[in-house]
Amino acid sequence: MNFSSPTSRIEDGLFLPEGASLFTRLRVAVRALKVLEKRPDDGIAAPLFNASLDGDVFQRLCSELAKSEDGRELLAARPSLQGRSIDLDALGRLPAGTLGNAFARYFSDNGIHPFESPYEVRNDVDYLVKWYRETHDLHHVVTGYATDAVGEMELQAFVAGNLGLRTSVLILLFAAVLRPHGLPPFWKYARRLRAAYRRGQRSEKLVRIRYDHFWAATVEVVRQRLRIPSSTPARA
């Protein structure tokens, strides 16, 4: 597996050359993480962060997806959830409780906009890196984890168990040591992270379905499709 990225920003040190060593990939990942701490929706740093550490993981996920009909359709169609590809007004008019309505409300409630990225797609691995980043907000909706600092860490723990991404582990370690965004001490919510990790392990892969085919379905139906166990977050 050659660890390269089709997108870069040289002035921030965000450049991943073809065949980069582990040391180079780690250095780029740390630089990307520093950018994301200030600008969480940075369209170059976000996918490059995932590509630098998890290129081989996404390649393995592509191989798994290619073994199922749904997975092959996803990789062939390469749908997008970037802002220019979805109509939030139309989704917001869907009945309450549907995935589309919940997705539209997610953005209005949090005062944010859908992810936009210039990330070029050369192959299935590039696409899956991009798709994972585009579906991050939907992952909050289907897992039920909040968008506050602890909720973000719970989602990262879920993803670590679900997809095995090193980037999620690095984010959790970064948060435990540096406590950005007003996070409480790690021990105060460690049980919740452990529960989220195990919940992710028991669920189907979050990247495996075309969420755009389920806008009119209820969030609960989508959770069942992904076999996400119902869970009440453990409180410290």
Side-chain angles (χ1 to χ4, degrees):
M1 172 69 189
N2 288 322
F3 294 92
S4 65
S5 170
T7 307
S8 63
R9 190 164 64 232
I10 303 298
E11 61 270 24
D12 285 335
L14 300 179
F15 171 69
L16 192 65
E18 189 77 18
S21 66
L22 175 61
F23 175 78
T24 297
R25 288 186 278 121
L26 286 171
R27 186 182 66 216
V28 172
V30 170
R31 287 177 176 173
L33 186 57
K34 289 180 179 178
V35 172
L36 292 171
E37 184 184 3
K38 298 177 181 177
R39 302 192 299 272
D41 289 328
D42 189 284
I44 291 178
L48 186 57
F49 179 54
N50 291 109
S52 62
L53 288 184
D54 292 315
D56 59 328
V57 178
F58 282 104
Q59 185 179 49
R60 187 162 58 250
L61 287 169
C62 283
S63 297
E64 291 179 17
L65 288 173
K67 296 176 183 178
S68 68
E69 184 176 349
D70 287 350
R72 288 191 296 271
E73 180 191 1
L74 175 71
L75 295 177
R78 294 183 179 177
S80 173
L81 293 181
Q82 294 202 35
R84 60 183 175 272
S85 303
I86 54 178
D87 186 343
L88 289 181
D89 290 335
L91 294 179
R93 291 192 292 271
L94 291 171
T98 61
L99 181 67
N101 180 270
F103 191 48
R105 284 194 300 104
Y106 171 91
F107 290 107
S108 61
D109 290 349
N110 290 285
I112 57 177
H113 301 283
F115 183 69
E116 294 279 1
S117 173
Y119 201 79
E120 177 189 352
V121 173
R122 304 164 299 179
N123 49 49
D124 287 346
V125 175
D126 286 341
Y127 171 71
L128 205 58
V129 169
K130 175 175 168 284
W131 178 245
Y132 167 72
R133 188 60 190 85
E134 289 178 359
T135 54
H136 172 84
D137 296 309
L138 267 172
H139 297 166
H140 276 287
V141 174
V142 299
T143 61
Y145 295 122
T147 56
D148 60 8
V150 173
E152 289 287 354
M153 293 305 102
E154 286 181 294
L155 181 56
Q156 292 300 331
F158 184 101
V159 168
N162 187 255
L163 301 176
L165 298 188
R166 302 181 187 98
T167 49
S168 293
V169 176
L170 182 59
I171 289 171
L172 290 167
L173 291 174
F174 180 82
V177 174
L178 300 180
R179 292 172 54 192
H181 310 302
L183 274 168
F186 177 79
W187 61 267
K188 286 194 172 183
Y189 63 100
R191 285 193 301 159
R192 292 172 62 174
L193 297 186
R194 184 165 56 248
Y197 179 85
R198 291 173 177 169
R199 190 175 178 224
Q201 285 182 309
R202 297 196 297 270
S203 303
E204 292 284 352
K205 298 292 191 291
L206 287 175
V207 297
R208 70 178 294 269
I209 68 171
R210 288 193 59 172
Y211 292 96
D212 56 316
H213 284 179
F214 292 88
W215 292 138
T218 65
V219 174
E220 185 56 35
V221 164
V222 178
R223 285 176 180 160
Q224 291 174 5
R225 180 69 177 255
L226 289 169
R227 299 181 182 177
I228 298 176
S230 58
S231 174
T232 301
R235 301 288 173 180

